[in-house]
């Protein structure tokens, strides 16, 4: 009898340690996160502070109705999601099933017919081609200067993060390298190039330069994963940024490179010069994005893409099964960086001016947010997430102060990561990984891998 008691006491103590208290339950942790977000949003979007009275704005914002509005909205989202989520999901699945059955039958008939599939993609491409003709000049500028540039960068970053599972916080450094390559080979920097080139001819050179830079970054980081890799890539960005800022005799320093050449075509019998009109730049970007997507989609389903997937899920197991992890990680860095070279050349030509302050680390953070928001590993998700998050601050331009626009973007990201961490349009594999991680059946999240393959 005493032996049973002595065994039962340690077991009961262990059970108490495993038991979660009410405030440790995920539901109430999510509520706490939403309340904190509501308080922060009320403060940052309310009355601004004064230098002579630091607490005036805090007191005024707590006494205003703004905090009640934010609490009502965010706590309302939490309540609907937590207490009515299953009922809403059941009804949505039931209604979706009734609607989806005939659609699925139609898709099943169409899916095997290549003409319909290519016809749909062709119609989408035609719409994208005529899109700048349907919108104002302001939105044309947004398409070229922001959406197009970040889409190119995000596609490359998706290779490194979404497919290979390597966290990169300094990816915008490759974008800077591409832009400065365009400035150098077109004669826009203080140092003279061996010979000057047209911007179209600079694109393959910028891609090659970014490929080499990707290999140089990847080589010393092959044994690093997770947070350690993120710190190294952040340091790589700072090295590139500081070199661009301090090498005055080569990069122009803080003055940057001015009056850069525009794109131009001269065939003898016909010539055309790109000027300030954003439409021609949009079509160049669209052509580059289409070419990159075709290549990357084929790459995703190739032997290289499958090797990246194996490394992301478990690098130790991938190496044990014969995957050359060193080679494929270097390929991920190099191929992912290549799209930034194209984006950098187009950006430098369109702006006609570059300086180091255009390539700050915040741009890397934004590019990472676009990839995560859209869905890591999903090309359609990356395109959609980038377009939505770039469009939102510009849409709020006329109604929200410039200093507050990105705060709404941050609030949207917090809510998204609480309730849909897989992204807007996730890949099936990523959805499965997150589900396994939540259930505790496997260390499925490759970005959280520990050094040496250990799991926390």
């Amino acid at each position: 009898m005493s032996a049973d008691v002595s065994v039962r006491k340690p077991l009961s103590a262990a059970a108490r340690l495993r038991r979660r208290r009410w405030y440790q339950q995920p539901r109430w942790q999510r509520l706490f996160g939403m309340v904190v977000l509501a308080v922060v949003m009320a403060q940052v979007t309310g009355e601004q502070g004064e230098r002579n009275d630091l607490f005036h704005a805090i007191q005024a914002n707590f006494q205003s109705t703004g905090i009640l509005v934010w609490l009502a909205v965010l706590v309302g989202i939490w309540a609907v999601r937590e207490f009515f989520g299953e009922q809403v999901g059941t009804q949505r699945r039931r209604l979706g099933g009734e609607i989806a059955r005939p659609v699925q039958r139609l898709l099943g008939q169409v899916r095997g017919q290549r003409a319909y599939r290519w016809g749909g993609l062709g119609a989408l491409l035609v719409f994208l081609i005529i899109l700048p003709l349907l919108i104002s000049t302001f939105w044309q500028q947004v398409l070229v200067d922001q959406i197009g540039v970040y889409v190119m960068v995000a596609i490359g970053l998706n290779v490194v993060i979404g497919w290979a599972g390597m966290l990169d916080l300094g990816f915008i450094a490759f974008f800077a390298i591409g832009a400065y390559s365009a400035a150098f080979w077109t004669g826009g920097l203080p140092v003279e190039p061996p010979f000057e080139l047209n911007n179209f001819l600079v694109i393959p050179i910028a891609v090659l330069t970014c490929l080499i830079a990707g290999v140089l970054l990847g080589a010393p980081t092959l044994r690093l994963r997770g947070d350690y890799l993120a710190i190294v890539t952040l340091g790589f960005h700072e090295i590139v940024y500081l070199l661009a800022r301090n090498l005055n005799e080569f990069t122009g320093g803080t003055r940057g490179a001015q009056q850069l050449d525009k794109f131009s075509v001269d065939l003898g019998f016909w010539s055309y010069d790109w000027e300030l009109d954003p439409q021609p730049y949009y079509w160049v970007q669209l052509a580059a994005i289409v070419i990159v997507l075709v290549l990357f989609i084929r790459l995703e389903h190739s032997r290289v893409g499958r090797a990246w997937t194996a490394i992301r899920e478990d690098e130790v197991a991938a190496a044990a099964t014969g995957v050359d992890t060193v080679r494929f990680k270097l390929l991920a860095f190099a191929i992912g960086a290549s799209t930034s070279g194209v984006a950098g050349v187009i950006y430098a030509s369109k702006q006609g001016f570059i300086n180091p302050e255009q390539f700050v680390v915040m741009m890397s953070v934004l590019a990472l947010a676009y990839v995560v928001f859209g869905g890591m590993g999903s090309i359609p998700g990356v395109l959609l997430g980038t377009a939505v998050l770039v469009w939102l601050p510009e849409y709020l331009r006329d109604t929200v102060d410039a200093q507050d626009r990105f705060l709404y973007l941050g609030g949207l990201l917090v809510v998204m990561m609480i309730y849909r961490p897989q992204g807007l349009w996730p890949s099936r594999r990523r959805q499965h990984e997150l589900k396994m991680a939540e259930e505790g059946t496997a260390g499925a999240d490759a970005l959280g891998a520990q050094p040496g393959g250990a799991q926390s």
Side-chain angles (χ1 to χ4, degrees):
M1 186 67 179
S2 60
D4 294 339
V5 173
S6 62
V7 171
R8 193 179 299 117
K9 286 183 178 180
L11 290 177
S12 61
R16 285 196 300 271
L17 290 175
R18 289 194 300 268
R19 187 186 306 132
R20 287 187 175 183
R21 302 190 182 278
W22 68 270
Y23 54 84
Q24 296 174 323
Q25 299 296 325
R27 168 179 294 178
W28 306 113
Q29 290 180 342
R30 288 191 286 265
L31 174 61
F32 176 75
M34 298 297 265
V35 170
V36 171
L37 177 61
V39 173
V40 173
M41 294 299 293
Q43 290 295 329
V44 296
T45 59
E47 185 174 341
Q48 302 301 313
E50 299 177 359
R51 180 174 299 179
N52 297 329
D53 189 355
L54 298 178
F55 297 98
H56 170 73
I58 296 177
Q59 182 179 3
N61 291 329
F62 270 112
Q63 293 175 352
S64 67
T65 58
I67 189 170
L68 298 179
V69 172
W70 279 110
L71 283 171
V73 171
L74 294 177
V75 175
I77 293 174
W78 170 84
V80 171
R81 178 62 176 80
E82 298 295 338
F83 297 104
F84 303 100
E86 294 185 3
Q87 295 87 333
V88 172
T90 302
Q91 293 297 327
R92 179 173 55 82
R93 286 190 294 270
R94 182 181 303 170
L95 180 61
E98 296 175 357
I99 298 176
R101 288 190 193 98
V103 175
Q104 288 176 352
R105 284 196 296 269
L106 178 62
L107 290 177
Q109 298 173 358
V110 172
R111 190 173 294 142
Q113 303 183 29
R114 183 173 297 179
Y116 288 101
R117 184 168 64 250
W118 287 106
L121 292 175
L124 176 61
L125 181 59
V126 169
F127 170 75
L128 292 175
I129 291 174
I130 65 174
L131 178 60
L133 305 177
L134 307 176
I135 58 179
S136 65
T137 304
F138 169 75
W139 286 110
Q140 292 175 14
Q141 296 283 4
V142 173
L143 276 176
V144 174
D145 296 343
Q146 299 185 55
I147 294 180
V149 167
Y150 274 113
V151 161
M152 291 291 293
V153 173
I155 291 173
L157 184 58
N158 183 57
V159 173
V160 179
I161 293 181
W163 291 353
M166 298 182 291
L167 185 56
D168 191 341
L169 291 181
F171 197 76
I172 213 66
F174 301 115
F175 178 51
I177 291 172
Y180 275 97
S181 296
F184 173 74
W185 288 105
T186 57
L189 294 181
V191 59
E192 292 293 330
F195 46 86
E196 292 189 14
L197 296 174
N198 182 283
N199 272 306
F200 282 108
L201 298 178
V202 172
I203 289 178
I205 296 179
V207 170
L208 179 61
T209 305
C210 289
L211 284 170
I212 296 173
V215 172
L216 293 177
L217 170 62
T221 63
L222 294 177
R223 297 179 60 84
L224 302 176
R225 280 176 256 173
D227 301 339
Y228 301 93
L229 178 61
I231 293 173
V232 172
T233 55
L234 184 62
F236 174 74
H237 169 272
E238 289 303 304
I239 291 172
V240 173
Y241 170 76
L242 292 174
L243 287 176
R245 185 181 176 89
N246 296 325
L247 291 180
N248 297 318
E249 65 281 0
F250 185 84
T251 64
T254 56
R255 297 191 309 274
Q258 304 178 18
Q259 297 180 350
L260 300 179
D261 289 350
K262 305 289 185 181
F263 279 99
S264 62
V265 175
D266 187 0
L267 302 178
F269 61 90
W270 176 79
S271 63
Y272 181 81
D273 292 330
W274 275 248
E275 297 296 340
L276 297 179
D277 187 4
Q279 290 185 8
Y281 289 97
Y282 170 81
W283 288 317
V284 171
Q285 281 183 334
L286 181 62
I289 290 171
V290 169
I291 294 172
V292 168
L293 287 179
V294 171
L295 296 176
F296 277 25
I297 289 173
R298 294 190 63 84
L299 185 65
E300 180 184 9
H301 301 288
S302 67
R303 178 173 175 267
V304 175
R306 292 194 297 271
W308 285 338
T309 300
I311 292 172
R312 184 189 72 230
E313 293 184 352
D314 194 326
E315 185 176 343
V316 175
T321 55
V323 176
D324 188 350
T325 57
V326 172
R327 174 191 171 197
F328 287 111
K329 287 173 72 173
L330 285 176
L331 276 175
F333 274 114
I335 294 175
S338 63
T339 63
S340 296
V342 181
V345 174
I346 297 175
Y347 179 80
S349 175
K350 170 62 174 61
Q351 298 296 322
F353 165 78
I354 58 172
N355 72 353
E357 301 309 317
Q358 294 171 313
F359 310 105
V360 295
V361 70
M362 182 54 65
M363 292 183 66
S364 293
V365 175
L366 285 175
L368 176 61
Y370 298 155
V371 173
V372 175
F373 182 82
M376 289 191 297
S378 169
I379 290 180
V382 169
L383 300 178
L384 179 62
T386 303
V388 170
L389 291 189
V390 174
W391 164 83
L392 180 60
E394 298 302 325
Y395 177 75
L396 298 174
R397 176 182 292 270
D398 296 331
T399 56
V400 180
D401 292 339
Q403 58 188 351
D404 293 338
R405 286 201 299 269
F406 281 94
L407 299 174
Y408 289 89
L409 179 63
L412 176 62
L413 287 172
V414 171
V415 175
M416 189 72 179
M417 291 304 101
I418 290 176
Y419 287 111
R420 193 173 174 82
Q422 66 269 32
L424 282 180
W425 193 329
S427 64
R428 293 183 179 179
R429 190 182 302 274
R430 182 61 179 166
Q431 282 183 298
H432 183 60
E433 289 176 354
L434 287 172
K435 184 178 179 181
M436 293 176 64
E438 290 177 358
E439 294 174 351
T441 55
D445 190 356
L447 294 183
Q450 302 298 317
Q455 301 295 328
S456 55

